[in-house]
Structures are given as structure tokens and as C-alpha cells.
Amino acid sequence: MQQPTRTVADSHDMIEVSGARENNLASVSVDIPKRRLTVFTGVSGSGKSSLVFGTIAAESKRLINETYSAFLQSFMPSLSRPDVDSLRNLSAAIIVDQERMGANSRSTVGTATDAYAMLRIVFSRLGQPHVGSAGAFSFNLPEGMCPTCEGAGRVSDLDVHELVDVERSLNDGAITVPNFAVDSWYWQSFVTSGLFDPDAKLQDYTPQQWQDFLHKPATKMKVGGSNLTYEGLVVKVRRLYLSKDKEPAQPHIKAFVERAVTFTTCGDCGGARLNQAALSSRIAGRNIAECSAMQISDLAAFVRGVTDPSVAPLVANLRDLLDSLVEIGLGYLSLDRESGTLSGGEAQRVKMVRHLGSSLTDVTYVFDEPTVGLHPHDIARMNGLLLRLRDKGNTVLVVEHKPETIAIADHVVDLGPGAGPDGGRVCYAGDVAGLRRSDTLTGRHLDHRVSLREEVRPPAGQLPIRGADLHNLRDVSVDVPLGVLTVVTGVAGSGKSSLIHGSLPRRAGVVVVDQSPIRGSRRSNPATYTGLLDPVRAAFAKANGVKPALFSANSEGACPACKGIGVIYTDLAMTAGVASRCEECEGRRFTPKVLTYTLRGKNISEVLAMSVTEARDFFPGGPARSVLDRLADVGLSYLGLGQPLTTLSGGERQRLKLAIHMGEKAHTYVLDEPTTGLHLADVDNLLALLDRLVDAGNTVVVIEHHQAVMAHADWIIDLGPGAGHDGGRVVFTGTPADLVAHGDTLTATHLREYVAQ
């Protein structure tokens, strides 16, 4: 058979990057093979994300946006061109990142994956009694939602004890709601209404007075010579602070709302979100809410039993989608699980499922640490899915640290050699065998193994957990040893977080250090968040004989044009806002006058531009140095002091929180996957840090899948045997050596393989 003639079109087999300078990239030039799986490695801050996300994916997205008409582009965010000399042979990039899915309570796993939309159509065709179109089964549409809770599944209620002190009278300040103090405008409407004796204690009100005081609807009344509208306290608080269209802006009002509002399951729909008509329609004895509440692995089996030929193609698609969710290790979720409650890793895997069934090929898929939150058992399945995407003819780019995923790469690009200014260069590009032979940090650590402890530390006591039954836990009772390093492990969805976060945080002396977003605006940075800025400002003030407030970008010294942010955010009404560097201060955030004040030859803007490493040299002692030392201890030496917190990864956020808590006097530290985002070489440093915490007399409990951390532990609590309702039990407790020698769990199998290598 004659071979097809090779044309010029066949020559575009490489994404050619030339002179990339985003962030710390040092004019990087590299060729990345298309239709292959390329893994990008290197220590945190080496430039991996700047190359993959900030350069390749960003330019692909920008170029696609440019293909739309000017009218459509006016509705899109304005994307600036990455700092790179040239990029050739790009294809459309799809980014599958770990951004949490929106916290909108109306978004669920079912709505995010379209599984619920398919299920609605099946019920509209086959459900008995027949209740109408697919919209009649949607909790987001008026025809399907429960009228009482409007499809939310829960109703808000006010805790009256947070509104009033019943042992006081109105004149004595019985109303404790913000802005309702004695003599305030709102307070007067109660006192002048004539309905109550202002000197009587609330607890002495008659039932009718109590009803009028709290719940009387808006009523026009004539008091003296004037007309006024009276409404009960609960009615007024709902109108003022709980209306749907506005979030409380002031912190004290926000805090009050969080205290006073309680959410209870809707009594009319029982939390199912749907009206009675939708809930009455059943297939094989189950309504759509019951199907949505099933574990996805069980729902997949239920859907296989739906054999009506009229919906056969739709059911086949739904079955494939549910099977993909099971295959990717999410079979323990349910379709009614709110998207906002998923971890970053779970959210990434839910997004991934959408692309597995796509007919698109020759697309570039970009993944950010897809193994986050995965047990070694689940990583093997994730690897299979990455290879499937590649084998469909796509280019797959993965930023990753786990050796199991690096091992399946067709091509590896290793950046470094260090972080921040010491990184940003390509140390190696080639196959995995070549990486092993190379003398790069990644190459040297690829086969590095942490050995089991020769001697485990004896516990100083026990922290008992009794009868834990949160989520899928089955009446779990277990003792967490004190004064040692305990690793809690098990496959994704086995109940690790439910056990630890559901049982330990409320106890005295327990500090939870997780990866959740840090509350703070775009003004917040490591210097402000850790309190480092206070001694720095004091040092500048003392050296120059001026007020410390001048050296705060949130106070007197701030550039008036950008208000100390360093960039100007322009709201373009229809489009997303655009950020551009402030021309007034050139991004330095302070007034010219403030920048004339120096400390040992540096102004405040130059100090905030330093990395932790540079700042440690600049501040050789004092309180600033002790904060910087803790930041270095947790592996954040490369972080810029003035870097916005919004740019930090989950792992970096966790290590920043740990640095702060290390300055406090805690007794028990709970860490949630602290190896997230850590290079193999940095894991050793993390283990040394955990040892220092334990040796200082603390208890450290780590939820973790990384075999190096398991091997280094004094004690292991293994949950399983599977996920969801197949998990929720303690399947092993003991030392890592016991687990390797006698364990028969999935963790035991993988740890045994790890230490034997």
C-alpha cells in the first residue's frame, strides 16, 4: 500500500518556545513534542507554572480570543501577551487546574458534569407518574424547585438568643443586634410603638407581646401625632441584613450574621430541593432526589438496570460518564454533593471527566499536579487517564512532583536549579531514562527512598476518638498517640478528613493547618499576613525618625493613585476588570517621599521586593529574623515578601500558616497533605521540620498519601478498605514496620513496594 506523501503540514510536531521571561524565567527556549505526555518538574518556585500556565497556556488562550469578532471580544477579559520572544505551533489549550469550583450552593457534582441534566431527561421520559419536561426535575427552575426553600434544600432561621438578652428591658439594651443600641433610630421604633413597657424585661412579655416584638409584619401605626411603620425584630433584621441581593459589607455586621443565622433542612422537601410533583415521579421505585443522593458507583449500577429502548442512547452516555467518575476515583461522591465542598484535587478530577468523553483531538491539555489528594492506588488510575487523553491524539502537559507520574512521561522538562532568582532555567529536557542519568536535583531524587525508622518514638499518652460517625465513618473509635508523628492514610474518600477534622479541631491546644484560601484581599502578602511588616516598619521609623504608619501601603504612606496596591484595576463594565501597573508609583506602592527614607541603603519598596532568603541576610537578628527563619524552615525561602497571597498555591498557603502557628504555643498540629506542591528533594526538609516539631514536645498528626511520610512516621492509622460506603473503618493501626510486615490493606501493598525498591 502506498504511503501518504508527507507535506509541510506534518512538520509542526513541536511546540517551540523561544526566549520566555515570565516571572523568573531566564529567557527559556525549549521544544515540547506534540501529541505526547510531557511532565514539567523542579522545586517549588523554579518556574514550572510560569512556563506552562503563564506562557504556553496563556498565549494559546489569548490567540483564541483574538479569533472572535471585536464585539464578542468586548465581553471577554483583556489578556496581555506573555513576555516571550516567540511561540510556534501552539494548539488550543484546555487548563484543568485545582481551582475550587464555585461556592454557589446551586452547583453540584451532577450539574457540573451534566450527569444530572441527563438524569432529568430520563425521568421526564420514564418516570411514573409523568410530570412533564426535564425542567420539572430541576431545582434551579421555578417549575421544579421546592417553593418553600426555592431549590436550596435548606432554609435560614435566626437564633433569637443572638438577637436579644431576655433578662434585660428595652431601656436596658435588650436588643443586641448591630445598629439597634439604646437611643438609636431602630430602637426608637420599638419603644415608641406603645406595644411594650420599655422597662419590662423581655422574659416577662406576654405571648402576644413576644409575638409582636419578634414577628409582627410591617404595620402602619399612629403614635402621638405621627405615622410610623412598625415591624417585628426578626422581620426587620431579615430585611436589613439577610436580603438575597446584598452581602453584608461591614465586618461587624458580617460577624453578626454568621453568628445569628442558622440553616436547617427544609421541612417541606426534606432537603431534596424539589417540589412534591417531581418527588412523586419514580423509576424502579426511586425518585430523582434519591438517585442523586446515591453513591455514584451505586447509581452507575442502578442506571444499568434502565433498559427502555426509547432512552437507550442517553442512558449509554450517562452510564459512560458515571463509569468515568468511578474510574477516576470519585465513585464515592454523589451527584447532589455541592461543588464548593470538593477539595482542589477532587474539583480537578471532576473537570477532567468532562474532557475524557470529548471527541476533540489535537488539543493541549494542561494539568496542575493531578495526583493531589490521591493514594498511590489511585495514582495508577490517574496515570491511565492521562495516557488515554494522549492516545486520542492530544498534547498533555503536566506539572508534577510524584515519581509515579514522572515515570510514565514521554518527555520531561526539568526547571531549576533552585527557586525564585535561582531558578527559571531548563536543567534537563529529554526522556525519563536520561533524567535518571542526569545530575539534576530531580534526577538524583527520582529513586530516592525514605527508609523506615529503626526506632519509633514512644507515645506520651493518647488522644481518644470515640464513636465518630461523620459522613461515611462507621462508629469509629481510635486512639491518636501523643508526642509522636502519626500519619492518617487511606484511599481518596476513605474518611481520613472526616475522622480527623471532625474529631480533633475542637479540642484545646489543637491547631489545624490546611490548604484553604487565606482570608485577605489583594493587598495581603506574606509580610502583612505573618506580622513581619510590624518590626520592619518599626525599624524604618526608628532609622528615619518618622511614624511607622508611613511605611504601610494600607495607610499614610500609600501611593494615592493606586491606594498602595501597585496596580490600577480598571472596571470595564461589561468585561472583566483589567489590572495595569500604576504609572504614578511604577508599581512601588508608596509615595515618592516615603521612598526617600532608607534602612541600610534600601527603601521599603525594595525590602518588600526581597525573597525570604534575601531578607534573612538583610535582617540578621530581632523579631523580623525569627519570622523569616520560620518561613525558611517550612520551605518558603523563595517567596517574595510583597507577593500577593492570591498568587499562592494550596501547598504554599498551608506552609505559610504553619510558619505562623510555629510561633504560637500549640500542643497538637494537624496537617492536611503537607507534601502538596513539594519537590522530592523538599520532602526530606519537610520530614526534618515535622521531627523538630515532635522533638520539641508536640504531637503531629498528618493526613497524607506520600509513602516517604508514611515510612518516616512513628504510627499509622489506615482507613478503608475502599472509598465512600466501602470505607469509613479503621483497617490498621500500628507502626509502619508492622504495616509492611503484616498489613493486608492497599496502603500496606504500596508501602511494601516503596521500601523494597
Side-chain angles (χ1 to χ4, degrees), residues 298-331:
D298 293 339
L299 180 60
F302 175 80
V303 167
R304 279 193 193 85
V306 179
T307 54
D308 191 300
S310 68
V311 290
L314 180 66
V315 166
N317 284 342
L318 177 56
R319 198 172 56 230
D320 287 347
L321 175 57
L322 295 174
D323 286 344
S324 292
L325 283 162
V326 172
E327 186 183 356
I328 207 167
L330 295 177

Side-chain angles (χ1 to χ4, degrees), residues 10-23:
D10 298 321
S11 65
H12 303 280
D13 288 333
M14 292 279 182
I15 296 173
E16 298 172 11
V17 181
S18 181
R21 288 177 297 274
E22 274 297 303
N23 298 324

Side-chain angles (χ1 to χ4, degrees), residues 46-85:
S46 60
K48 305 181 297 298
S49 294
S50 298
L51 177 59
V52 178
F53 293 95
T55 305
I56 298 169
E59 181 66 352
S60 168
K61 202 184 251 184
R62 189 184 73 84
L63 292 174
I64 288 170
N65 284 8
E66 282 190 353
T67 65
Y68 296 116
S69 68
F71 172 72
L72 282 178
Q73 284 186 55
S74 73
F75 292 93
M76 296 174 173
S78 175
L79 302 172
S80 57
R81 188 177 183 278
D83 189 358
V84 59
D85 290 339

Side-chain angles (χ1 to χ4, degrees), residues 334-398:
S334 56
L335 295 188
D336 64 1
R337 172 84 174 262
E338 288 184 15
S339 305
T341 66
L342 300 178
S343 70
E346 286 170 333
Q348 186 177 34
R349 297 197 287 284
V350 165
K351 294 173 199 168
M352 189 177 183
V353 164
R354 293 183 69 98
H355 303 299
L356 285 169
S358 169
S359 300
L360 288 172
T361 67
D362 247 331
V363 169
T364 298
Y365 285 99
V366 186
F367 289 92
D368 186 11
E369 263 198 279
T371 61
V372 160
L374 289 185
H375 187 271
H377 169 74
D378 301 310
I379 291 176
R381 293 198 286 192
M382 171 60 75
N383 284 349
L385 295 168
L386 293 171
L387 293 171
R388 253 175 63 189
L389 280 174
R390 178 202 66 186
D391 292 345
K392 280 172 62 178
N394 298 304
T395 305
V396 181
L397 309 181
V398 183

Side-chain angles (χ1 to χ4, degrees), residues 190 193-196 205-219 221 230-235:
F190 291 94
S193 68
L195 296 170
F196 322 101
Y205 281 11
T206 65
Q208 184 59 51
Q209 284 177 318
W210 185 245
Q211 180 66 23
D212 288 346
F213 176 63
L214 291 179
H215 302 293
K216 192 178 184 71
T219 309
M221 304 178 75
Y230 172 86
E231 57 189 344
L233 181 62
V234 167
V235 179

